[in-house]
Amino acid sequence: MARQIITFQVEDQVFGVDIMAIREIRAWTPTTRLPHVPHYVAGVVNLRGTVLPVIDLAARLGWRNTEPTARHVIIVTRVAEQFRGLIVDSVSDIVTFADDQLQSPPATSADAVVPFLEGLVAIDERMVMVLDLPRLTGETEMRDAA
């Protein structure tokens, strides 16, 4: 069976998220910081009257915090019944691949990214890391930010 993902870049790495989990892609909007939330929660934005928690994806993956500029975008995702925004450097395209092309992530405890991956897929000479959104957004940790 074929799957479609939206690919995007964070820190010069290519990631993908299942297209069915994407609600919209927005231009960068400054966030309102909240106290006592995990370090990777950049804050919240107003999404047509709804408070949307925004995750700094680079920080969540264990890299440096993003210093957002006008070129950054927020990908609005839906996990279960919760909406979350992800700050990414840029959105690339929509790609399609067969389920059997998705390979398991390498078993290494040294990489902070691996626990958040559903798998990896090779597309046009590049390796795309497909994110596991439920693990990435960590419902227990994010509840206080919503």
Side-chain angles (χ1 to χ4, degrees):
M1 187 165 149
R3 289 186 57 186
Q4 286 190 312
I5 59 173
I6 289 188
T7 60
F8 52 89
Q9 292 204 353
V10 175
E11 294 285 324
D12 295 324
Q13 299 296 313
V14 182
F15 291 90
V17 171
D18 190 296
I19 197 167
M20 298 307 291
I22 306 295
R23 177 170 178 191
E24 66 183 85
I25 298 169
R26 308 172 39 109
W28 168 248
T29 305
T31 60
T32 301
R33 297 272 310 151
L34 296 174
H36 309 294
V37 294
H39 75 280
Y40 55 85
V41 177
V44 295
V45 296
N46 179 356
L47 180 66
R48 292 181 293 284
T50 301
V51 175
L52 177 72
V54 178
I55 297 170
D56 179 344
L57 188 53
R60 180 66 169 136
L61 297 175
W63 300 332
R64 65 180 174 79
N65 287 5
T66 301
E67 296 294 329
T69 65
R71 71 175 178 85
H72 286 86
V73 296
I74 298 174
I75 298 176
V76 179
T77 64
R78 182 177 182 165
V79 178
E81 296 302 313
Q82 299 293 315
F83 292 101
R84 304 281 187 255
L86 301 176
I87 300 173
V88 302
D89 296 344
S90 63
V91 174
S92 303
D93 51 12
I94 297 171
V95 295
T96 304
F97 62 92
D99 279 336
D100 61 357
Q101 289 179 274
L102 188 68
Q103 300 175 33
S104 297
T108 172
S109 60
D111 192 346
V113 176
V114 172
F116 303 118
L117 296 182
E118 181 182 339
L120 297 128
V121 62
I123 298 172
D124 299 332
E125 305 294 321
R126 61 187 172 157
M127 191 61 68
V128 177
M129 293 179 268
V130 181
L131 293 172
D132 182 325
L133 284 178
R135 273 191 249 161
L136 181 75
T137 58
E139 289 307 309
T140 354
E141 297 170 341
M142 292 295 295
R143 194 173 301 128
D144 295 335

